[in-house]
């Protein structure tokens, strides 16, 4: 008869332990018909077993309501009113060493756990003395200069600068008649006057270094033309202009100043260098007396106080410049281009409320400086 450790499957034997002398035991009555754990006896047929029942470890869990099982707290019902506090029964006194009661959560009411409304701010304390009212600032009176700047910012140079321009044109014509070196001696003061007027016209004054640098660029271009061959004069002008423009760029880039101011200074200095060096093209032109004569005639008629509309003077000056070129036998485009250059230069000198100094510098030099490259183009490129 198999015991509980051997079972009815009979292949497994429990290891034998060392036997000790057994104590006398009380005789027990043999149990008839008892089979441990309901296993069949050895040699008997084994009943079939249910695999599902044999491998089931725990009994099945009955289905539950998920909402009811996962609900931790009952829903809070907002009634809109504070609940009335009920009288609490008398509690016995706590022992001396009992744990202190927990303080309620700040900002919440214990009965309803709703946020408290913030208290109204307290009224500010009255000042010990009355505050002095702020005095209104007195109106700023406009300066005489700003009060006079009314109307159009364009002011023509007038007749006096036009007469000086005609005198410089006469000197240029005489220098051209004497030779290239004599013409260069007259062109040099014109370049210095152009540089000074250009800086003053753009609001940069005093600008001694900029004026000196721009004038030096013009003098260098004059010397390069005089030393160059007859066919390479324009290359000398372009080379001198490019070198000085690069020098201006380097100097202004490393200048310790505000970036906006540095950019404006670079623009003015670079344009002054270009305008000054372009006066050198008079040394390369052939019909210099006719060209500067057309400039002087157009400038004088544009500044003359003629009756009629304001545009009558510039139109008559341009027509007179063209007729002068035709009368002297110059190329057809010489008078027209020289007259246009003179009118453009005079118009530029009239911008942005120019002062008397601007009229006597830029108003004198710019008509000739702007017309100089156009005279060279009309006599060499378009002839």
């Amino acid at each position: 008869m198999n015991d509980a450790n051997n079972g009815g499957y009979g292949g497994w034997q429990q290891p034998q332990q060392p036997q000790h002398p057994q104590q006398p035991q009380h005789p027990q009555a043999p149990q008839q018909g008892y089979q441990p754990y309901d296993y069949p006896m050895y040699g008997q047929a084994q009943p079939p077993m249910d695999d599902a029942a044999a491998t089931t470890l725990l009994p099945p869990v009955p289905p539950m309501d998920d909402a009811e099982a996962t609900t931790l707290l009952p829903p809070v019902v907002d009634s809109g009113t504070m609940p009335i506090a009920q009288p609490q029964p008398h509690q016995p006194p706590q022992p001396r060493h009992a744990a202190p009661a927990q303080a309620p959560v700040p900002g919440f009411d214990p009965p309803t756990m709703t946020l408290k409304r913030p208290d109204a701010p307290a009224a500010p304390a009255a000042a010990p003395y009355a505050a002095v009212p702020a005095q209104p600032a007195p109106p700023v009176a406009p300066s005489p200069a700003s009060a006079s700047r009314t109307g159009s910012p364009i002011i023509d140079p007038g007749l006096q600068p036009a007469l000086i321009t005609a005198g410089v044109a006469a000197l240029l014509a005489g220098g051209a008649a004497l030779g290239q070196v004599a013409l260069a001696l007259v062109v040099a003061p014109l370049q210095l006057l152009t540089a000074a007027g250009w800086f003053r016209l753009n609001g940069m004054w005093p600008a001694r270094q900029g004026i000196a640098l721009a004038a030096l660029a013009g003098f260098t271009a004059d010397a390069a033309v005089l030393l160059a061959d007859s066919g390479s004069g324009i290359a000398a002008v372009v080379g001198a202009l490019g070198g000085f423009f690069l020098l201006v760029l380097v100097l202004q880039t490393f200048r310790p100043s505000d970036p906006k101011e540095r950019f404006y200074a670079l623009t003015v200095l670079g344009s002054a260098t270009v305008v000054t060096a372009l006066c050198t093209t008079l040394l390369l032109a052939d019909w210099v007396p006719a060209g500067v004569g057309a400039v002087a005639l157009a400038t004088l008629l544009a500044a003359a106080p003629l009756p009629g509309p304001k545009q009558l003077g510039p139109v008559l000056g341009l027509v007179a410049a063209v007729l002068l070129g035709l009368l002297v036998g110059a190329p057809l485009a010489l008078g027209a281009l020289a007259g246009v250059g003179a009118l453009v230069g005079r118009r530029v000198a009239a911008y942005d409320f120019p002062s008397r100094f601007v009229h006597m510098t830029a108003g004198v030099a710019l008509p000739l400086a702007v017309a100089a490259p156009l005279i060279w183009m009309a006599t060499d490129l378009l002839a």
Side-chain angles (χ1 to χ4, degrees), residues 48-157:
M49 299 182 65
D50 187 5
D51 294 340
T55 56
T56 300
L57 300 180
L58 297 175
V61 179
M64 300 178 64
D65 188 4
D66 293 341
E68 182 179 359
T70 57
T71 300
L72 299 180
L73 296 175
V76 178
V77 179
D78 188 4
S79 59
T81 59
M82 295 290 294
I84 301 175
Q86 300 294 335
Q88 300 293 335
H90 178 71
Q91 297 180 357
Q94 296 181 356
R96 178 177 301 177
H97 300 286
Q102 296 182 356
V105 181
F108 291 88
D109 273 337
T112 58
M113 297 298 285
T114 57
L115 289 175
K116 292 183 178 181
R117 293 184 179 180
D119 298 334
Y129 53 87
V132 179
Q135 298 294 334
V140 179
S143 60
S146 60
S148 61
R149 287 190 172 186
T150 56
S152 176
I154 301 175
I155 302 175
D156 292 331

Side-chain angles (χ1 to χ4, degrees), residues 96-379:
R96 178 177 301 177
H97 300 286
Q102 296 182 356
V105 181
F108 291 88
D109 273 337
T112 58
M113 297 298 285
T114 57
L115 289 175
K116 292 183 178 181
R117 293 184 179 180
D119 298 334
Y129 53 87
V132 179
Q135 298 294 334
V140 179
S143 60
S146 60
S148 61
R149 287 190 172 186
T150 56
S152 176
I154 301 175
I155 302 175
D156 292 331
L159 185 59
Q160 187 176 1
L163 292 174
I164 300 175
T165 301
V168 176
L171 293 176
L172 290 173
L178 296 176
Q180 198 175 31
V181 176
L183 179 59
L185 294 177
V186 182
V187 169
L190 175 64
Q191 292 172 332
L192 182 60
L193 191 64
T194 302
W198 188 262
F199 274 93
R200 189 65 183 93
L201 178 64
N202 288 274
M204 298 186 66
W205 192 265
R208 299 180 183 89
Q209 295 180 357
I211 293 173
L213 187 59
L216 184 59
F219 300 159
T220 305
D222 297 341
V225 171
L226 294 176
L227 296 177
D229 298 336
S230 58
S232 58
I234 189 63
V237 174
V238 174
L241 182 60
F244 271 88
F245 195 80
L246 181 60
L247 178 62
V248 167
L249 183 62
V250 172
L251 292 178
Q252 293 299 322
T253 301
F254 294 98
R255 177 185 176 186
S257 61
D258 185 70
K260 294 182 179 180
E261 181 182 354
R262 187 187 309 148
F263 180 76
Y264 183 71
L266 174 63
T267 304
V268 175
L269 185 55
S271 58
T273 303
V274 172
V275 174
T276 304
L278 287 180
C279 295
T280 310
T281 53
L282 287 174
L283 302 177
L284 304 174
D286 295 334
W287 293 82
V288 176
V292 296
V295 171
L297 189 58
T299 304
L300 285 173
L301 290 177
L306 301 176
K310 188 177 180 179
Q311 292 79 12
L312 181 61
V315 172
L316 291 179
L318 183 59
V319 172
V322 173
L323 293 178
L324 178 62
L326 295 177
L327 290 176
V328 299
L332 182 61
L334 177 63
L337 291 180
V340 169
L343 296 179
V344 170
R346 185 175 178 275
R347 187 69 171 183
V348 171
Y351 271 102
D352 198 14
F353 297 102
S355 61
R356 184 64 178 172
F357 183 83
V358 174
H359 283 170
M360 300 305 295
T361 54
V364 172
L366 282 183
L368 293 168
V370 176
L374 299 179
I375 293 174
W376 170 75
M377 293 174 59
T379 55

